[in-house]
Amino acid sequence: LKNLTWLSIGSAAQSFVPESTPVCGTLPDDIYDLKNLRTLEIVDTHIGGELSPRIGDLQELSSLNLPANEFSGPLPAELARLSILAKNTQSLVVLEDNNFSGKVPESFRNWPDWQARWGYIIAGNQLDFSEVMPTIPQFEATTIDGGTVSSAVTAENELTMLFQWFSWCPWSPVIVSELKELYPAYKDKGLEVISYTNEDDVTAKWYADSNGFTWPTIANEYNEGAYPLGVEMYPYNVSPAITIFDKSGRLVYYQFGADTKWKEFIEERLGS
């Protein structure tokens, strides 16, 4: 097996069925001897235990996809080596819906995957990432109305919200209806909102116009080899998703789903 490049247990499709793949136990230590492994994918199983620091020995690994299992314990700092060892390409790390806990290692601070895809690591775990708090992704994009908006907008406002939605999502309208009321009330108090979808610009403009968006909106569709936000779905592949950044661009609030706690946060920070 020393020549193995792809190891997959379970499937992404398993997450749509009631029963997970009935495979259990922990990862054998000699799995870290597979020096040619490029993809390690374990999805929706009963496999658990801690990840060994030897994960950093998989120098060819560019995709570590471990969602919906029973992994636990701290994240090894050696994970942050993966993006460096991925042939100068951004690696793919998905650790959502496990039982990881403890502080996210300091080494994650300068890890490209952390800044762009921290949601895929935080979601569904009990991790403290207060010491490596992400900053707003660096972008400059054209809005659906032909204007320009960039991450530099944070310096001009007390709070800047990024709001991810999809036209087919039944929960996005919950956030939209609340934003339509809140945005004009807080625009002059230091709040800016930028919403985005990974759908095409025609769909994005239709949805925004139909729902009366008054804030800048981006069609974050793959174009000319890149996404306007730098990643297809930020910070996580869920809709709706909200992230809020302060004047320095530092993350101060996030949520996945149609909760209304984001309103309480804005009222606390900017006044009622």
Side-chain angles (χ1 to χ4, degrees):
L1 295 178
K2 292 296 179 68
N3 292 324
L4 193 67
T5 60
W6 187 305
L7 175 59
S8 180
I9 303 174
S11 164
Q14 297 295 160
S15 61
F16 296 101
V17 298
E19 297 296 328
S20 59
T21 303
V23 181
C24 60
T26 58
L27 292 183
D29 192 62
D30 53 5
I31 200 171
Y32 303 110
D33 293 327
L34 302 179
K35 304 300 184 183
N36 293 304
L37 201 62
R38 297 176 183 173
T39 296
L40 176 57
E41 179 181 66
I42 303 174
V43 180
D44 203 6
T45 74
H46 296 292
I47 294 174
E50 295 188 8
L51 282 182
S52 168
R54 290 196 61 202
I55 191 74
D57 294 343
L58 300 179
Q59 298 183 9
E60 297 296 322
L61 198 65
S62 59
S63 179
L64 180 65
N65 192 27
L66 306 178
N69 299 293
E70 297 179 10
F71 291 105
S72 60
L75 296 180
E78 288 76 7
L79 272 173
R81 294 171 52 192
L82 296 181
S83 61
I84 301 173
L85 302 173
K87 304 301 183 184
N88 297 318
T89 62
Q90 192 177 81
S91 60
L92 173 62
V93 177
V94 179
L95 304 177
E96 65 194 68
D97 295 328
N98 282 281
N99 297 305
F100 290 112
S101 60
K103 291 187 176 182
V104 174
E106 177 71 20
S107 56
F108 278 47
R109 184 183 301 279
N110 298 316
W111 184 23
D113 252 16
W114 174 246
Q115 289 296 332
R117 300 173 56 86
W118 55 269
Y120 293 82
I121 297 173
I122 291 298
N125 290 301
Q126 295 81 48
L127 290 164
D128 174 3
F129 63 114
S130 58
E131 294 184 2
V132 288
M133 197 63 77
T135 54
I136 192 168
Q138 299 301 298
F139 67 89
E140 183 173 348
T142 301
T143 67
I144 57 173
D145 295 323
T148 301
V149 66
S150 76
S151 51
V153 72
T154 55
E156 304 168 7
N157 296 279
E158 296 300 321
L159 297 176
T160 300
M161 175 196 291
L162 297 186
F163 165 41
Q164 177 171 255
W165 56 269
F166 300 125
S167 63
W168 47 262
C169 171
W171 299 285
S172 291
V174 176
I175 304 296
V176 170
S177 63
E178 299 286 354
L179 263 182
K180 287 170 66 176
E181 179 180 343
L182 184 140
Y183 182 64
Y186 280 90
K187 172 67 175 172
D188 293 335
K189 293 173 71 70
L191 173 68
E192 184 56 281
V193 175
I194 301 171
S195 69
Y196 55 96
T197 176
N198 67 346
E199 298 168 279
D200 61 84
D201 55 354
V202 173
T203 301
K205 185 167 177 54
W206 162 77
Y207 189 84
D209 290 346
S210 300
N211 287 278
F213 285 19
T214 56
W215 51 85
T217 298
I218 301 169
N220 188 39
E221 186 184 28
Y222 193 73
N223 185 34
E224 297 182 355
Y227 294 100
L229 286 177
V231 64
E232 181 180 11
M233 290 174 283
Y234 177 84
Y236 182 46
N237 62 339
V238 67
S239 173
I242 287 175
T243 48
I244 301 178
F245 303 86
D246 65 13
K247 209 173 187 68
S248 69
R250 183 176 180 269
L251 180 72
V252 290
Y253 180 89
Y254 77 95
Q255 77 171 48
F256 306 133
D259 203 316
T260 58
K261 291 182 179 179
W262 59 274
K263 291 179 57 181
E264 299 172 13
F265 177 82
I266 289 174
E267 291 171 354
E268 289 174 2
R269 292 291 292 260
L270 300 182
S272 61

